[in-house]
Amino acid sequence: MVSAVILWGAFPVVYATLLSAFYLPLIVMLLGLILRGVAFEFRHKTQRMRWIWNASFAGGSLVASFMQGLTVGALVEGLPVANGQYAGGDFGWLTPFAVLCGVGLLRRLRASRRLLACHEMRR
């Protein structure tokens, strides 16, 4: 979010173009982050339904991470811009390369988690 504010302050035209292209993926990512925070708070307040909050935490984390990778993949691949405005449709950012980047980020985060678990076991 801080980078979005910096982008808005330094390059408002670029910010407007990117935000109009990425409304849907950024909203889905924020919903995943909200679900993750809510699940983190409520899973300590219940005993019987803890599995639901654990699944919600994992799901929110997966959604947020996948959408981050998807957004970066679409940004790297390039967006259709005409006359300084986003020219793609509602799902113009959803390409096979972007999906591959989202899956790649999930795999990278899983590998990092395994590496951290191995490091913790050696202690």
Side-chain angles (χ1 to χ4, degrees), residues 40-86:
F40 186 75
E41 182 65 29
F42 282 117
R43 73 179 179 172
H44 294 293
K45 296 185 184 214
T46 184
Q47 294 297 323
R48 211 177 63 203
M49 304 293 276
R50 185 170 288 198
W51 66 273
I52 290 177
W53 294 113
N54 287 338
S56 298
F57 184 82
S61 298
L62 284 173
V63 166
S65 299
F66 177 74
M67 295 312 279
Q68 285 175 355
L70 187 87
T71 303
V72 169
L75 189 60
V76 167
E77 187 175 18
L79 297 170
V81 176
N83 298 327
Q85 293 188 357
Y86 176 63

Side-chain angles (χ1 to χ4, degrees), residues 65-111:
S65 299
F66 177 74
M67 295 312 279
Q68 285 175 355
L70 187 87
T71 303
V72 169
L75 189 60
V76 167
E77 187 175 18
L79 297 170
V81 176
N83 298 327
Q85 293 188 357
Y86 176 63
D90 291 337
F91 295 98
W93 45 267
L94 188 60
T95 63
F97 178 75
V99 171
L100 185 64
C101 287
V103 171
L105 181 63
L106 289 178
R107 290 179 54 96
R108 175 64 183 121
L109 291 174
R110 187 180 71 186

Side-chain angles (χ1 to χ4, degrees), residues 24-46:
L24 187 61
L26 291 180
I27 288 172
V28 171
M29 181 180 68
L30 287 174
L31 289 175
L33 290 173
I34 290 169
L35 178 63
R36 187 175 181 253
V38 169
F40 186 75
E41 182 65 29
F42 282 117
R43 73 179 179 172
H44 294 293
K45 296 185 184 214
T46 184

